[in-house]
Amino acid sequence: PPGENIRPPLLDIIKENAQTLEQARNNGLFNHSRAGGIPMFESGKGTAEKVRFPSVRSFGYDVNSTNFKTADELGVAELVASIINFFTAVKADIFVGVRGSSYSTDVFSVRYYMQQNLKENSRNSSLSGNYLLGPDGIEEVVGSPRPHSCGK
C-alpha cells in the first residue's frame, strides 16, 4: 500500500496533521469547541463531485449530447475542487490567509484587484476584509498585498 515505507518522525507528523485537520473541522480553528472556534469552510470536493462535463469530440462540444462525465471520471476532481475553493475564497466577505502561503498571496491579490477586500463592498461591513495569520497573531491586510515569499 502507498506510504507503507514511511517511518517516524515523518509518520508522526502525518498523523498529527490528520488529527489537527479533523479537530479543526469538528471544533473550528484554534480548538474552541465551547465557543465554536473559527469555522472551517471547504466546499470544493463535495461540489466537484457534482460537476459534469459534456462529451468532447475532435471537432468541438456536442451541445445536444447526453453523454457527460463527472470530474472524478475524468480524473480532474481535485483540480475542479481547488478552483471552486479558490473562487469561494475570492468572493468571501472575509479571507484569513497564512504568511508564506502562495495560495493566500494569490487570493489576497485577486481580492485586491477585484476590490473584494474593501469593507464598502461587503454585505456586513463590520466583518469583512483580508487578514493574515502569522506567528504574531492576526493582522489586517491593507492595500496591495506583499509579493509572495516562502520564508517571510
Side-chain angles (χ1 to χ4, degrees):
E4 70 182 30
N5 295 327
I6 299 174
R7 304 278 181 245
L10 182 57
L11 183 60
D12 297 333
I13 293 169
I14 292 170
K15 287 180 181 177
E16 182 181 347
N17 283 347
Q19 290 170 346
T20 301
L21 180 59
E22 184 65 26
Q23 191 173 29
R25 285 183 170 160
N26 293 335
N27 301 322
L29 296 176
F30 308 115
N31 194 27
H32 294 289
S33 57
R34 293 179 307 280
I38 297 174
M40 274 182 66
F41 178 76
E42 190 277 334
S43 71
K45 186 168 181 347
T47 305
E49 291 171 351
K50 297 174 187 163
V51 173
R52 295 169 39 122
F53 295 90
S55 62
V56 177
R57 298 190 180 164
S58 60
F59 53 86
Y61 290 98
D62 181 358
V63 293
N64 296 318
S65 174
T66 57
N67 296 321
F68 288 86
K69 290 192 175 190
T70 66
D72 200 37
E73 290 171 324
L74 293 171
V76 296
E78 289 81 8
L79 174 62
V80 171
S82 68
I83 292 168
I84 292 168
N85 284 333
F86 182 81
F87 284 102
T88 299
V90 165
K91 290 303 217 172
D93 285 343
I94 298 173
F95 176 70
V96 180
V98 293
R99 190 175 307 282
S101 163
S102 59
Y103 176 86
S104 294
T105 301
D106 288 347
V107 172
F108 287 143
S109 297
V110 171
R111 288 170 59 85
Y112 174 76
Y113 289 107
M114 289 180 66
Q115 302 294 308
Q116 188 66 26
N117 62 323
L118 298 178
K119 293 184 190 267
E120 303 88 63
N121 292 341
S122 174
R123 290 182 295 274
N124 183 349
S125 62
S126 65
L127 297 172
S128 63
N130 292 325
Y131 298 88
L132 183 65
L133 177 61
D136 299 326
I138 296 178
E139 62 186 75
E140 186 170 11
V141 177
V142 179
S144 178
R146 293 186 292 197
H148 173 70
S149 173
C150 292
K152 298 178 183 174

